[in-house]
Amino acid sequence: MKPDTPQRYAPFTRFLHWGMAACYAFMFAGALAWHLNGSLKFLIAPHKAVGVLLLLLAAVRFIWALRNLRRRPAGSLKVKLGHLALYALMFAVPASGMARQFHGAFGNAHGALAFVFFLLIAGHIAMTVLHQRRGEAILQRML
């Protein structure tokens, strides 16, 4: 499998990034939908299934990122800490959802963690747009 390079993320990295992004969009949209309209609670079952899928993909993505750590595009400490926070929430949000399913205490944090994750993702997107507007071609690394 082709590895990441300092100039561009590998096809597998991009597949994981954009595939998981689509899944997260479904997760956030579905949760918002059933909270606004109780008749859409049927979305909870696929939400749970996609949550388990995302937890598994997060594990694959984390291992892949570790294997490519030295080859990835360079980033400042702020960038690295932001990505570390995103990775942490990729695990914490589905884990708390599973804990909620089994009535674990950590499950009470699921909604709050998901909201923080949503805000971090929004910040991630905003920073990408900001850097692109400044002429830094960082989005091309992930396309």
Side-chain angles (χ1 to χ4, degrees):
M1 206 174 304
K2 188 176 176 183
D4 293 338
T5 69
Q7 295 77 34
R8 190 153 194 239
Y9 290 101
F12 186 63
T13 304
R14 295 190 313 263
F15 169 77
L16 286 171
H17 181 273
W18 294 110
M20 290 176 77
C23 288
Y24 287 123
F26 167 78
M27 297 295 277
F28 291 122
L32 179 64
W34 84 65
H35 280 94
L36 293 176
N37 182 346
S39 69
L40 297 175
K41 288 209 185 269
F42 67 88
L43 292 171
I44 293 173
H47 180 89
K48 291 176 182 179
V50 173
V52 171
L53 173 65
L54 281 166
L55 184 59
L56 295 172
L57 289 174
V60 170
R61 187 172 178 174
F62 185 71
I63 292 165
W64 177 253
L66 288 176
R67 290 185 64 196
N68 284 275
L69 196 58
R70 298 202 192 305
R71 294 185 283 260
R72 292 195 148 189
S76 69
L77 179 61
K78 289 179 189 176
V79 170
K80 290 177 181 168
L81 290 174
H83 283 108
L84 184 62
L86 286 166
Y87 273 98
L89 287 167
M90 282 182 212
F91 288 101
V93 173
S96 65
M98 293 170 85
R100 173 186 270 180
Q101 179 70 27
F102 299 108
H103 307 290
F106 181 52
N108 296 333
H110 182 65
L113 287 171
F115 185 70
V116 170
F117 191 32
F118 176 79
L119 292 176
L120 261 173
I121 291 169
H124 179 69
I125 294 167
M127 293 310 296
T128 300
V129 170
L130 177 72
H131 285 282
Q132 282 296 124
R133 295 199 64 173
R134 289 182 178 168
E136 302 167 41
I138 62 166
L139 183 59
Q140 287 73 3
R141 297 176 189 172
M142 195 54 84
L143 293 177

